[in-house]
């Protein structure tokens, strides 16, 4: 009986161990923050080190360092997940997490792009356990310019205008925000690994060079939208804050009238812009002074 009990106990433990192993396989979606390889959280780093496969999402944003620095710091090999992988072949990321730990590294925070939300939903539908590990993102870091985060309204994306495609879907949201006295964070377009259709027509597979929208281009497009729609959402003299490379040692923040930012060189990407609300608080203006262009004449 004692021997039988021992065998029974051993079998129960073995089953539990197997169930435990199956249930600990995880797809980690890990925020990397905004700076460099050292911005990952301790929890995030522990998760990375536990993973068998690691992907770096390189479609919705870019980090201030390349993947070789990440690999050296994490002690792991990293596979780049480009636009095609993320949009069309996402199963390559989440399906292996049925049998091994997988990490998807995301610049900023995992929940700031619908692309990552889609991967989470698909992974869970496939029966994969998903765990999020958060980090700093532009959505919070934008407050470093001195504008209060609770005074922000809708966040908008500004796409590159093309010859025959000049969308203004951002315009009514900026108008709505300013009508309510709220600021608008504008996230600027990124074009990475875009197909070269001229080359494709010649039977060649080629990609266009990466493009990252600047504050200057964003302002040009905002002004064009106002000139086209003429609804008074903002003006050339509206107060704006241009920001570049937030979270990095050489971050740049400059405030001034919208049209004055056209002339400012903000340097390397990534850039973003805040269109301030018409009732910017005195405390916010006091904080903005350190970033304000000289002799600037903005209108509230």
């Amino acid at each position: 009986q004692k021997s039988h009990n021992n065998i029974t106990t051993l079998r129960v433990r073995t089953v539990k161990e197997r169930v435990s192993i199956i249930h600990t396989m995880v797809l980690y979606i890990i925020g990397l923050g905004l700076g460099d390889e050292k911005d990952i959280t301790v929890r995030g780093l522990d998760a990375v080190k536990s993973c068998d496969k690691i992907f770096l999402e390189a479609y919705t944003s870019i980090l201030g360092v390349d993947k070789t620095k990440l690999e050296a710091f994490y002690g792991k090999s990293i596979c780049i997940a480009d636009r095609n992988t993320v949009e069309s072949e996402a199963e390559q990321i989440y399906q292996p997490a049925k049998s091994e730990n997988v990490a998807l590294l995301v610049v900023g925070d995992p929940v700031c792009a619908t692309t990552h939300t889609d991967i989470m939903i698909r992974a869970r539908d496939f029966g994969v356990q998903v765990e999020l590990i958060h980090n700093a993102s532009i959505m919070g870091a934008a407050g470093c310019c001195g504008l209060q985060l609770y005074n922000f309204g809708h966040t908008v994306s500004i796409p590159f205008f093309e010859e025959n495609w000049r969308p203004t879907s951002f315009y009514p949201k900026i108008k709505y925000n300013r009508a309510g006295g709220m600021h608008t964070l504008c996230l600027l377009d990124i074009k990475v690994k875009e197909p070269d259709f001229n080359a494709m027509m010649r039977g060649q597979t080629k990609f266009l060079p990466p493009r990252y929208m600047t504050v200057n281009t964003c302002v040009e497009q905002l002004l064009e939208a106002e000139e086209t729609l003429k609804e008074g959402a903002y003006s050339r003299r509206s107060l704006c804050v241009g920001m570049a490379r937030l979270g990095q040692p050489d971050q740049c923040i400059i405030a001034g009238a919208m049209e004055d930012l056209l002339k400012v060189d903000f340097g390397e990407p990534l850039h973003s812009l805040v269109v301030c609300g018409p009732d910017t608080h005195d405390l916010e203006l006091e904080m903005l002074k350190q970033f304000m262009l000289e002799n600037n004449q903005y209108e509230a």
Side-chain angles (χ1 to χ4, degrees), residues 51-295:
C51 288
D52 304 287
K53 281 190 173 70
I54 302 169
F55 296 89
L56 173 62
E57 191 269 282
Y59 166 44
T60 60
S61 190
I62 57 170
L63 201 59
V65 295
D66 61 31
K67 82 179 184 78
T68 57
K69 285 198 172 183
L70 298 181
E71 289 174 328
F73 188 72
Y74 304 156
K76 292 277 189 174
S77 295
I78 297 173
C79 177
I80 294 292
D82 59 18
R83 178 177 184 174
N84 184 64
T85 303
V86 171
E87 289 192 336
S88 304
E89 301 173 355
E91 64 275 4
Q92 294 184 14
I93 298 172
Y94 63 78
Q95 284 185 358
K98 277 274 195 171
S99 57
E100 57 189 350
N101 284 342
V102 178
L104 175 61
L105 309 181
V106 174
V107 178
D109 187 87
V111 295
C112 290
T114 53
T115 298
H116 310 138
T117 303
D118 178 65
I119 291 175
M120 292 177 218
I121 293 170
R122 292 171 65 181
R124 285 173 175 152
D125 287 346
F126 189 69
V128 167
Q129 182 178 336
V130 178
E131 184 172 329
L132 302 180
I133 300 179
H134 297 283
N135 209 320
S137 78
I138 183 63
M139 307 293 278
C144 71
C145 69
L147 297 173
Q148 297 295 314
L149 293 178
Y150 56 75
N151 288 336
F152 280 73
H154 293 289
T155 296
V156 301
S157 296
I158 311 296
F160 276 113
F161 282 180
E162 306 294 344
E163 184 177 355
N164 298 312
W165 188 69
R166 310 180 87 74
T168 56
S169 55
F170 55 83
Y171 184 89
K173 291 183 179 179
I174 299 176
K175 181 181 177 182
Y176 176 88
N177 286 347
R178 283 179 51 81
M182 297 177 287
H183 313 309
T184 306
L185 174 62
C186 303
L187 304 179
L188 312 192
D189 202 0
I190 297 172
K191 297 288 189 185
V192 179
K193 211 171 181 180
E194 292 284 310
D196 185 334
F197 293 109
N198 290 328
M200 290 175 66
M201 287 189 289
R202 298 192 299 270
Q204 300 172 334
T205 301
K206 287 188 177 180
F207 300 98
L208 298 170
R211 288 194 298 158
Y212 306 99
M213 185 181 288
T214 63
V215 168
N216 319 93
T217 298
C218 174
V219 169
E220 287 175 1
Q221 295 188 180
L222 291 181
L223 292 174
E224 179 181 322
E226 178 58 56
E227 182 62 27
T228 301
L229 299 173
K230 294 182 170 59
E231 295 180 15
Y234 44 80
S235 75
R236 302 181 70 86
R237 305 307 301 169
S238 293
L239 178 61
C240 293
V241 185
M243 299 175 288
R245 301 172 305 285
L246 288 189
Q248 299 178 28
D250 64 341
Q251 74 174 23
C252 175
I253 303 173
I254 298 176
M258 186 179 289
E259 66 177 358
D260 290 338
L261 298 186
L262 284 169
K263 311 163 191 174
V264 176
D265 181 4
F266 286 87
E268 295 297 307
L270 292 171
H271 294 190
S272 54
L273 178 80
V274 177
V275 180
C276 297
D279 303 314
T280 305
H281 193 276
D282 289 345
L283 182 60
E284 293 177 303
L285 292 173
E286 186 65 29
M287 284 291 290
L288 279 176
K289 278 184 181 179
Q290 60 187 307
F291 306 119
M292 201 74 74
L293 288 169
E294 290 185 10
N295 303 315

